[in-house]
Amino acid sequence: MNVVLLEPEIPANTGNIGRTCVATGTTLHLIKPLGFSLDEKALKRAGLDYWQHLDVRVYENFNDFLEKNPDASKKLYLATTKGHHVYSDAQYDEDAYLMFGKESAGIPEEILLDYEDQCFRIPMNPQIRSLNLSNSVAIVLYEALRQNHFASMQLNGELHRLHWNHPNE
């Protein structure tokens, strides 16, 4: 699975998204310009000690991303409040590219128009402009992973029973 951030502006959001990508085995693609440096403290703080394990790739612009990932255009899903489809109705391939725009403006319309049938939205109340970027990525990414049966992810936890006295005993 792939998460693509087009011109992200807020380091804490990208750090949180990076941590989610490590937890899910997802590649993070960052398309410049970035609103921060990749060695910025806020980015590393949000990503905790997971950032070193992240598969992150950086591109000069959207065309550079497409040139270096030729299969992406057929497997690209663009998150936008202008999308005609709901994110949960899309059928995600296990190597889908989930694209999100910058926090202040989203994905430019010239890109959206080229991929109109691949645009989707997260439903929300009409008076709300948008959700936080890292929350949006988590919502859509986990739906895509769910559809692919959480391939290669740990699915079972284990409770460790401690012996303690219950107040009613």
Side-chain angles (χ1 to χ4, degrees):
M1 200 64 64
N2 299 275
V3 167
V4 181
L5 302 182
L6 178 67
E7 303 176 5
E9 300 167 313
I10 301 174
N13 282 339
T14 301
N16 287 332
I17 293 164
R19 183 177 179 180
T20 299
C21 287
V22 171
T24 59
T26 300
T27 300
L28 178 60
H29 303 264
L30 301 176
I31 301 174
K32 293 180 180 181
L34 308 179
F36 49 85
S37 165
L38 288 177
D39 59 0
E40 194 161 322
K41 282 185 181 180
L43 179 73
K44 305 286 184 172
R45 188 177 315 117
L48 294 176
D49 56 346
Y50 300 105
W51 193 260
Q52 65 192 14
H53 303 291
L54 178 63
D55 180 2
V56 61
R57 302 169 191 185
V58 182
Y59 307 90
E60 292 303 313
N61 53 48
F62 185 61
N63 287 332
D64 183 36
F65 164 74
L66 291 175
E67 286 172 15
K68 291 179 177 163
N69 299 281
D71 61 331
S73 63
K74 292 176 255 163
K75 299 177 181 188
L76 193 61
Y77 299 85
L78 297 86
T80 173
T81 57
K82 300 171 184 176
H84 302 298
H85 310 289
V86 175
Y87 78 97
S88 56
D89 292 337
Q91 298 298 309
Y92 302 98
D93 294 330
E94 63 184 20
D95 56 349
Y97 290 82
L98 311 175
M99 185 172 166
F100 301 82
K102 62 183 171 182
E103 291 89 341
S104 65
I107 300 170
E109 282 213 19
E110 57 268 16
I111 294 175
L112 296 176
L113 289 170
D114 287 342
Y115 297 92
E116 189 170 355
D117 288 338
Q118 295 161 257
C119 293
F120 62 87
R121 64 179 297 110
I122 299 171
M124 63 187 116
N125 289 330
Q127 66 272 21
I128 300 299
R129 188 175 64 249
S130 65
L131 293 170
N132 172 275
L133 179 61
S134 61
N135 292 337
S136 297
V137 169
I139 289 167
V140 176
L141 176 58
Y142 267 87
E143 172 60 19
L145 292 167
R146 183 195 67 77
Q147 288 184 16
N148 287 280
H149 311 289
F150 300 105
S152 71
M153 295 177 70
Q154 181 178 346
L155 297 178
N156 297 310
E158 184 177 324
L159 292 173
H160 300 283
R161 301 210 181 269
L162 299 175
H163 298 287
W164 56 283
N165 292 328
H166 191 276
N168 294 331
E169 290 182 355

